Every structure is written in structure tokens, then in C-alpha cells.
Amino acid sequence: MARDLRTLPKAHLHLHFTGSMRPTTLVELAAEQGRRLPESLVDAVVDGDPVRLPASERGWFRFQRMYDAARAVVRSEEVMRRVVDEAVAADAAEGSVRLEIQVDPTSYAPHVGGLTPALEIVLDAARASAARHGIEVGVVVAASRMRHPLEARTLARLAALHAGADGVIGFGLSNDERRGVTSEFGPAFAIAARAGLASVPHGGELLGPDHVVEVLDALHPDRLGHGVRAVEDPAVLERVVDSGVALEVCPTSNVSLGVYPAVEDVPLRRLVDAGATVALGADDPLIFGPRLLEQYRLAREVHGFDDTALAELARGSIRASRASESSRARMLAAVDAWLAAPDPAAH
């Protein structure tokens, strides 16, 4: 035996709103609404068959079709609040002390009266769920590369209006990295930065180190969603490390999207050995399966991380979060206490 990973305090920094949904919730809501789910999505969420897609535009299209089908059941304030609460409850049960959940309110605005109500529902639900389940929750507003950069500016202004300790803590950019021109989203990120929001775009997963450089230059990230392919160019990885950009690494989604053939091929060890700050994430567990706890288990069982190294991964996630200084100190002390406790394997 080794120390229980469920009791290791950790921050979860890469989780998407729709993708956080419980499979049982999706099936229940689809049945209530008379919606037929795509067979591939049913296979993933009901039968538990791992999603394996090629790292191509066709593969992404198939993923997006599943995601859109899941998102289509989120059509009311009640359902939005339920999704948030179930995500927070799941993270709390796995030992998360802080969750920073990412949402694009554009997708839900038509059902609840607009962008502002959609975001405020998520923010209010996050506050209530944080109190209910005893963990901290922050919200990242994310624009989509599939939409015009002017829409990203609108979202950035909305995020800025709701910036604060109990509200929006970051601004992101998600969807297929091969779409859109990264630099054209720079003005939106500048708006968010002026409001004190963290810059947390996706990059360096479907595209290689050149794309990491584009994102670094244009969007000035504090954290990079994924970023794993920075390892393909030592100079780029060195720049990431030297600039203190944390990487939100999501091993199981990397495999499901065809970036790597197996979990053991995800360069987690290489990133850590290079000095990168790494925060493990689950990305879209509705489709990819495992949640956050499984990512830590894989780090232990597949990548050979001992408890000291796992504790350092947890510390990295906490330091990379937007928790207050006092909260970070408390969370880091709890990690130290976890590591200081006797190792069951020693008895």
C-alpha cells in the first residue's frame, strides 16, 4: 500500500463545464427531453468504452459531435446548477481543495435569457456548491476558437465585470487549436489581463511547439491548457519553464484524442524533470472517462511517481491556482501533512 491519493489535497485547474457532467445525468436528461444521443457517446458514457480518436480534424469533428450532443441537454437554469453542483461534489470526494471550472456562457445563453444570466447562474451555483461541499471554486470564462475574435472580446468584457475572489478568476480559449488565428485573440486577453484575470488558453496539444510559441507571444498565458508538446523542442520547453507558465496536463484526454498512443507515452516525467510546473486535470471526464483522482493514480502506477513526487504535483496545482495567498498556504500545509503521515507500505 501507499498513501491514499483520495486524501491528497490538490487543485483541479482543467475541467470543462459540460464535460464535467456525470454520465448518469446526461442519460437521464436526454431521456426526459426525448433526445437521442449519438451511438459513440452512448458507448463512452454508458458502456464505458474508452474514446479513441485520431489526432486529425476528422477526429476532432467526431469529438465535437459528442460534446455538442451532451451540451444540448443543458437547457435551463436548474440543469446548469445541477451540473456545477455535481462537478464540485465529485471533486470534493476525490480530495480536491480547489476547483477552477471553465465555461463558455455563449452555449447556454439562449436558454436562460442571455450571456450575463448564463454566467451569473454558474457563478452563483459555484458559490453555493463550494459552501455545500467544503472546497473553493473559481470560474474561468472561455472563448472558442471556432467563433470570431470579436466574440471573444465580448466574453472578456463580461468576465472582467465579474472578476473577483468569489467570481471569475481567469479567461481562456478552447476548441480545436488548428482553427482561428491565435494573435487575433490577443485583444480579448488584454481586456481580461487589465481586470486582473489569469490567462489560461489551450495550446500545444493538437499542435506542436511552434503553436506553444504563438500562444506565449500573443496571449501571455499564466497557465497553458495541455502544453505537453512543448517537450518536442527543448528551447520551447525551457522558455515555458523560465517564464513560470504552468501546464495543465490531462493524460487520459491526450490519449483519447490521439495525441499519444497510450498513457505511458504522455511526457509527464519529462515535463517535471525539466522543471515545469504541472497541474493534472481531467478535461472532459464525461467523454474521456477518468476524473482527477485517476490522473494521479496513473502518475503513480504508470509513470512511477512516488509519494514525494505526487505531493509536488499537488503543490504545483495549488501554486498555479488563483487561490488567495492565505488559502494557498493552508492547502500547501495540508499537502505537507499528507506526506508527513506514515506510509502504510512501511508497516
Side-chain angles (χ1 to χ4, degrees):
M1 288 181 62
R3 292 175 182 86
D4 186 356
L5 292 175
R6 195 177 298 273
T7 61
L8 171 62
K10 44 198 168 295
H12 194 178
L13 308 182
H14 197 111
L15 182 71
H16 294 274
F17 174 76
T18 294
S20 74
M21 198 186 314
R22 291 176 180 169
T24 52
T25 297
L26 172 62
V27 172
E28 177 188 324
L29 292 172
E32 288 177 357
Q33 298 171 17
R35 294 181 177 274
R36 183 180 178 186
L37 299 173
E39 186 176 331
S40 56
L41 183 57
V42 173
D43 289 343
V45 305
V46 177
D47 299 334
D49 290 342
V51 173
R52 291 295 180 92
L53 301 169
S56 63
E57 292 192 24
R58 180 171 178 80
W60 185 269
F61 175 81
R62 289 168 58 192
F63 163 72
Q64 194 64 55
R65 182 170 177 265
M66 287 188 279
Y67 202 89
D68 289 345
R71 186 162 44 202
V73 308
V74 185
R75 302 176 64 82
S76 69
E77 176 177 349
E78 178 186 9
V79 172
M80 292 177 70
R81 289 179 177 276
R82 176 178 176 179
V83 171
V84 171
D85 191 65
E86 290 180 355
V88 176
D91 257 75
E94 293 193 341
S96 295
V97 290
R98 182 175 175 84
L99 168 63
E100 295 182 2
I101 191 168
Q102 189 167 143
V103 63
D104 178 355
T106 308
S107 305
Y108 316 100
H111 309 298
V112 294
L115 281 174
T116 297
L119 178 57
E120 290 183 348
I121 288 167
V122 172
L123 291 172
D124 187 62
R127 284 189 290 268
S129 296
R132 184 177 301 115
H133 300 292
I135 71 171
E136 294 188 1
V137 182
V139 174
V140 173
V141 172
S144 171
R145 283 181 169 275
M146 309 289 280
R147 298 193 182 97
H148 197 282
L150 286 176
E151 292 193 34
R153 295 190 208 182
T154 298
L155 286 175
R157 294 187 186 98
L158 178 65
L161 288 173
H162 292 82
D166 294 325
V168 178
I169 54 88
F171 185 71
L173 181 65
S174 60
N175 220 298
D176 190 344
E177 295 167 20
R178 294 162 294 212
R179 302 292 294 272
V181 178
T182 299
S183 61
E184 292 181 355
F185 293 94
F189 278 82
I191 292 168
R194 287 194 293 270
L197 298 175
S199 171
V200 292
H202 287 50
E205 182 191 29
L206 298 174
L207 295 177
D210 288 348
H211 184 247
V212 173
V213 172
E214 283 184 38
V215 175
L216 293 174
D217 288 343
L219 308 182
H220 311 291
D222 299 288
R223 303 194 309 250
L224 191 57
H226 304 295
V228 287
R229 294 185 62 189
V231 299
E232 296 171 14
D233 186 326
V236 174
L237 180 55
E238 183 178 8
R239 181 179 171 187
V240 168
V241 173
D242 290 347
S243 59
V245 175
L247 302 178
E248 302 164 1
V249 178
C250 308
T252 53
S253 73
N254 291 165
V255 175
S256 286
L257 290 176
V259 180
Y260 299 106
V263 171
E264 53 264 33
D265 299 305
V266 177
L268 180 60
R269 175 67 70 178
R270 291 170 61 191
L271 292 170
V272 170
D273 288 349
T277 297
V278 170
L280 294 177
D283 204 358
D284 296 293
L286 172 67
I287 294 174
F288 302 136
R291 303 189 79 92
L292 182 62
L293 185 64
E294 178 70 2
Q295 314 306 318
Y296 277 85
R297 188 191 68 77
L298 292 170
R300 171 186 273 169
E301 297 181 6
V302 176
H303 294 279
F305 280 58
D306 61 15
D307 284 0
T308 299
L310 291 165
E312 191 55 32
L313 283 176
R315 291 189 190 101
S317 71
I318 292 165
R319 294 189 186 108
S321 76
R322 276 299 173 112
S324 67
E325 287 300 323
S326 59
S327 288
R328 285 186 197 175
R330 172 177 51 80
M331 294 169 185
L332 291 171
V335 175
D336 293 342
W338 180 85
L339 191 60
D343 181 353
H347 297 283

